[in-house]
Amino acid sequence: MSRDILADQTIEVLRHAGFLVSDKCDIRPRSFDIAARRGETLLLCKILLNLDGLTEETANEMHVLSEILGGTPLVIGEKTRDQPLEDNVIYTRYKITAVNIQTFYDYFIENIPPMVTASPGGLYVPIDGSALKEARIENNLSLGSLAGIVGVSRRTISKYEDEGMHASIDTVLILEDLLQIELAQPIDILNPAALQTAQKTISDSSNPSKIGGISSVAPAAENKPTVETAAENEMLTYVSTLGFDVKETAHAPFRAVSKDKNSIILTGVSKYNASTLKRAHLMSSISDVLQTGSVFLINGNSKVKSVESTAFIEKKELVRMSGPEDLIETIEERKVPEKK
């Protein structure tokens, strides 16, 4: 299967499930490929044939963008190393949930959640620790006696009951057959935090406090900026002086995300050219899904006032603004109304 086919299948599933879906991101680099929204549920989807292609830097940017935008990062893939991703199994890379297209379909179309997580030691199942403890006591089994029957340590049974530790598939089957109860718990793809508390992640060396590809507007000290880059950085700095928290991106189709207490604005910065128009079209599609503003700050003269939902604002116009409301009002005035 090609990556394009997998992306098209993902979009088809999302639309079938009632999501509003952005255009595919065909601009490199890209931290995510598709943005999708259904009500309050927002997804930033990355399409990868091999999960090992996800870098820590890209994953960190997906995390931070998702936090800013109130969404969930998700990878849809086909294999890991040389092994296909299994159905009904959750995989993890740098604290980002990853599934194959069948699991993705089952969850969003059939309302069938996955039940199994993949870890370095094999496949594991989240279990209902309280139900296990209650059933053990009702059957007059001590921790030690149950551990002996199952073939694990007393401490392991205690962790199942009190700490929510996941169990191997074989162990869960033995426990359910012995105690005649259902212990396996479904996994909510949209609540990865719950999964992280009990699962050992694969190849997970990310630092939760690290911002990764998103940084302040100041250029890196070791990279001397060009005149053009310096002018673009100056415009982003000016946006911050208007009262916005400006976070740059390294892999998104927009240069930064600008946020104040009331608004979130996808922010591009460039000279006016054909590439700018293409990027603005994509930014408009994404902002419509994310329900954010979208602006391209132009270093020099612009031939247009907007491309769909993305307003174009020249540097000389930007520096005349005195507060966040000036930027927001200009974006609203210039964007082309959506077709009914």
Side-chain angles (χ1 to χ4, degrees):
M1 180 190 299
S2 72
R3 183 182 171 281
D4 285 341
I5 291 175
L6 183 57
D8 289 342
Q9 290 179 343
T10 301
I11 291 172
E12 183 179 355
V13 169
L14 288 167
R15 287 177 174 164
H16 190 185
F19 281 82
L20 176 64
V21 184
S22 73
D23 293 343
K24 284 189 294 185
C25 182
D26 58 356
I27 296 173
R28 293 180 180 275
R30 51 182 178 243
S31 53
F32 64 93
D33 296 286
I34 301 164
R37 179 184 289 278
R38 182 180 64 187
E40 296 300 313
T41 300
L42 172 64
L43 301 177
L44 295 182
C45 300
K46 181 74 174 174
I47 311 299
L48 290 171
L49 291 182
N50 193 319
L51 297 191
D52 301 308
L54 182 68
T55 67
E56 182 176 3
E57 183 181 13
T58 297
N60 285 335
E61 183 161 299
M62 289 181 70
H63 276 301
V64 177
L65 285 174
S66 296
E67 182 178 353
I68 292 172
L69 299 167
T72 300
L74 186 64
V75 173
I76 297 88
E78 188 176 43
K79 65 180 181 178
T80 174
R81 298 180 178 87
D82 58 349
Q83 297 296 318
L85 303 187
E86 297 191 36
D87 297 346
N88 194 38
V89 177
I90 289 282
Y91 297 80
T92 308
R93 287 293 188 275
Y94 304 114
K95 298 187 185 297
I96 292 183
T97 296
V99 296
N100 69 9
I101 192 65
Q102 184 61 53
T103 305
F104 188 70
Y105 174 91
D106 289 342
Y107 183 86
F108 286 106
I109 302 297
E110 302 295 340
N111 295 317
I112 301 174
M115 305 287 287
V116 182
T117 67
S119 290
L123 299 179
Y124 293 86
V125 179
I127 61 176
D128 187 337
S130 297
L132 172 60
K133 186 173 187 177
E134 183 178 337
R136 175 179 62 79
I137 293 173
E138 287 181 354
N139 284 274
N140 296 314
L141 292 169
S142 66
L143 287 171
S145 59
L146 181 58
I149 295 171
V150 176
V152 298
S153 69
R154 181 181 183 278
R155 187 164 183 267
T156 296
I157 296 294
S158 178
K159 284 189 173 183
Y160 291 158
E161 293 183 351
D162 301 327
E163 299 180 22
M165 188 174 79
H166 292 185
S168 69
I169 294 175
D170 289 342
T171 297
V172 173
L173 292 175
I174 293 171
L175 286 169
E176 290 186 337
D177 182 62
L178 174 67
L179 301 174
Q180 292 298 295
I181 59 170
E182 291 186 3
L183 293 172
Q185 296 291 290
I187 302 168
D188 185 1
I189 289 176
L190 299 178
N191 186 21
L195 177 65
Q196 302 301 334
T197 59
Q199 181 198 17
K200 293 180 179 179
T201 59
I202 305 173
S203 303
D204 186 4
S205 60
S206 63
N207 183 343
S209 64
K210 184 178 179 182
I211 293 189
I214 298 188
S215 61
S216 69
V217 296
E222 66 271 21
N223 295 324
K224 186 176 180 179
T226 64
V227 173
E228 182 177 336
T229 302
E232 293 173 1
N233 289 336
E234 183 182 347
M235 284 190 282
L236 288 179
T237 300
Y238 193 82
V239 172
S240 70
T241 66
L242 293 178
F244 290 93
D245 179 18
V246 179
K247 299 293 185 182
E248 286 189 85
T249 68
H251 303 285
F254 35 87
R255 172 72 181 275
V257 179
S258 305
K259 181 178 181 180
D260 71 354
K261 61 182 179 180
N262 298 315
S263 305
I264 299 175
I265 303 171
L266 308 186
T267 309
V269 189
S270 176
K271 287 186 175 180
Y272 180 88
N273 53 41
S275 176
T276 302
L277 296 175
K278 180 180 179 181
R279 195 173 287 269
H281 171 78
L282 179 59
M283 286 172 57
S284 294
S285 175
I286 294 171
S287 69
D288 289 345
V289 170
L290 300 181
Q291 298 178 357
T292 66
S294 182
V295 66
F296 233 112
L297 306 177
I298 301 300
N299 180 23
N301 298 321
S302 175
K303 294 181 181 179
V304 299
K305 293 295 185 182
S306 67
V307 172
E308 299 166 353
S309 302
T310 301
F312 277 49
I313 297 176
E314 297 175 358
K315 181 180 179 181
K316 61 186 178 183
E317 297 176 300
L318 177 67
V319 298
R320 290 200 295 264
M321 297 180 180
S322 58
E325 64 282 350
D326 292 337
L327 180 60
I328 294 168
E329 288 175 5
T330 302
I331 292 172
E332 289 298 316
E333 289 170 359
R334 294 189 179 179
K335 71 179 183 180
V336 177
E338 293 184 52
K339 294 181 180 179
K340 298 296 184 180

